[in-house]
Amino acid sequence: MNEREIIECITKHSSTECSDLIQSIGDDCAVVKKDEENVWLLTMDTLVESVHFNLAWHPPELLGRKTISVNASDIASMGGTPRFALLSLGAPKPVDDEWIHAFSRGIETASRDYGCFVIGGDTVYSPYGYSISLSLIGEAPATKVRYRHGAKPGDQIWVSGYLGEAAAGLELYQQNRVSMEHYSELYAAHLDPVARVELGKAMAGLKQVHSMMDLSDGIATDLAHLCKRSTVGARLERQRLPISTATLLACEELSLSPVSLAVRGGEDFELLFTASTAAEQNIRDIGHRLNIHLSVVGEIIEGENVVLHDLNVDGSQHFEILSYQGFDHFRDE
Ligand SMILES: [Mg+2]
């Protein structure tokens, strides 16, 4: 089984017969009724040593911050506010006191940044390195939650920030190109991503924003998930993908394709949302107010495929089907 098939198997064996349950498995967060006006948003992410992080270059304080941020990103993607967290930490023996102190400081500062509280969890011995799981509970007004379903043909596809920066940062570390000042934003994108909580809430406040999720596995895979949930297709415009100068520079140095990083690179933790064209000016105004770069990268279309459209300088066109080309933990190498 691959990752998707494992999730489908677990989903098949999970009951959804609960009157307070609004959204079960299948979105960035589960959604549960809190009271007449509000809902709880519940999410969980796990970071495993040698899979998600490498101690050789990931400072423990920033890893603590990232633990909170990757979960806050899921809450942000549904338009919510992070509130309470449960942390499970598996640590090797002997315990590295200094590492634990620094990691805890990172958890503390990120919790303060997002206004949430760590209120419980578990600590266990882990013989093969650190393993970190965090459950984050957020809340939102029920009418403002945005789901992966809801995208409509004709919607513009938006992304925040720049694509592929975290993947470029990781590549730089893996190839031992460290401490280069002109790549500082790429290192930061990998080590210490920032969840777009304010942007998520602002977008959820706009009626014309029909669907939203965060980018964790690369836009090719994530947009395919959104399209599947919305029973639509999508056309991405290669020329409109926001790729930063630093990423272009790093790709040249490392002989990588910037478009491939932008489309298939994981861990951007930017927001992906779709909205009717009528909302364009409103969305741009919010981007300016929050000082977040927002780009239209394509359009929702009828059908079921995510297609990358490339318009060459000579006027010729090229289409490539992108569905599910991002990271899968269980794909055979
Ligand atoms: Mg997500």
Side-chain angles (χ1 to χ4, degrees):
M1 282 193 242
N2 62 25
E3 188 174 339
R4 193 160 44 89
E5 288 162 343
I6 294 175
I7 296 168
E8 280 167 5
C9 178
I10 293 170
T11 306
K12 211 173 72 189
H13 291 276
S14 305
S15 171
T16 53
E17 286 171 29
C18 168
S19 61
D20 287 341
L21 182 58
I22 299 165
Q23 171 69 55
S24 184
I25 299 168
D27 215 304
D28 290 89
C29 298
V31 182
V32 175
K33 182 177 170 183
K34 180 189 175 197
D35 54 38
E36 287 315 310
E37 279 98 46
N38 301 290
V39 295
W40 294 116
L41 303 170
L42 298 99
T43 185
M44 177 184 220
D45 258 305
T46 299
L47 300 173
V48 173
E49 185 179 341
S50 306
V51 178
H52 299 93
F53 61 92
N54 189 319
L55 293 182
W57 61 72
H58 216 132
E61 186 155 352
L62 297 186
L63 193 61
R65 291 185 55 80
K66 187 168 180 175
T67 301
I68 299 279
S69 294
V70 300
N71 282 280
S73 181
D74 278 329
I75 302 282
S77 77
M78 302 199 72
T81 305
R83 293 299 311 280
F84 304 108
L86 299 165
L87 171 68
S88 170
L89 176 65
K93 283 195 278 200
V95 173
D96 181 341
D97 294 14
E98 217 173 293
W99 194 95
I100 300 288
H101 278 297
F103 175 77
S104 304
R105 276 197 306 276
I107 292 277
E108 180 189 6
T109 60
S111 299
R112 205 181 303 133
D113 289 352
Y114 297 114
C116 60
F117 303 88
V118 177
I119 55 166
D122 195 13
T123 45
V124 294
Y125 165 52
S126 168
Y128 304 112
Y130 290 99
S131 170
I132 307 157
S133 280
L134 191 101
S135 304
L136 189 58
I137 302 164
E139 64 181 319
T143 54
K144 294 203 170 154
V145 177
R146 286 299 179 279
Y147 297 87
R148 293 179 178 187
H149 59 80
K152 296 177 169 58
D155 277 4
Q156 290 176 314
I157 302 167
W158 293 80
V159 291
S160 61
Y162 295 90
L163 302 179
E165 289 206 318
L170 175 60
E171 282 285 346
L172 287 167
Y173 278 112
Q174 284 173 334
Q175 305 210 20
N176 206 24
R177 290 192 167 67
V178 297
S179 308
M180 298 163 92
E181 193 154 333
H182 53 290
Y183 291 143
S184 57
E185 70 212 63
L186 306 183
Y187 302 134
H190 167 61
L191 298 177
D192 189 16
V194 177
R196 303 292 197 183
V197 176
E198 289 310 314
L199 180 66
K201 284 197 276 192
M203 289 306 116
L206 295 178
K207 275 203 180 66
Q208 303 97 330
V209 172
H210 297 140
S211 65
M212 187 155 63
M213 70 183 295
D214 72 333
L215 290 173
S216 55
D217 296 336
I219 194 170
T221 292
D222 291 329
L223 184 57
H225 284 309
L226 186 140
C227 285
K228 195 173 180 198
R229 299 286 298 181
S230 299
T231 47
V232 293
R235 192 183 60 242
L236 282 178
E237 302 293 343
R238 192 187 74 79
Q239 277 76 9
R240 301 183 86 168
L241 297 172
I243 302 175
S244 68
T245 316
T247 302
L248 292 174
L249 211 67
C251 284
E252 199 172 313
E253 190 176 331
L254 302 171
S255 303
L256 295 168
S257 150
V259 172
S260 179
L261 273 198
V263 167
R264 301 182 185 95
E267 298 207 308
D268 279 322
F269 301 112
E270 294 292 350
L271 293 186
L272 166 70
F273 52 95
T274 76
S276 56
T277 51
E280 180 165 354
Q281 197 51 50
N282 261 343
I283 292 171
R284 294 206 183 278
D285 290 346
I286 289 167
H288 286 140
R289 177 166 59 79
L290 297 176
N291 197 23
I292 296 173
H293 187 262
L294 298 176
S295 319
V296 174
V297 294
E299 191 185 343
I300 295 294
I301 54 177
E302 309 267 0
E304 55 182 25
N305 287 322
V306 176
V307 173
L308 182 64
H309 175 229
D310 197 347
L311 182 62
N312 298 316
V313 268
D314 62 5
S316 63
Q317 300 188 70
H318 179 254
F319 292 91
E320 181 191 348
I321 294 176
L322 285 182
S323 308
Y324 299 112
Q325 288 190 6
F327 185 71
D328 181 323
H329 277 272
F330 301 96
R331 184 168 41 207
D332 292 331
E333 294 303 323

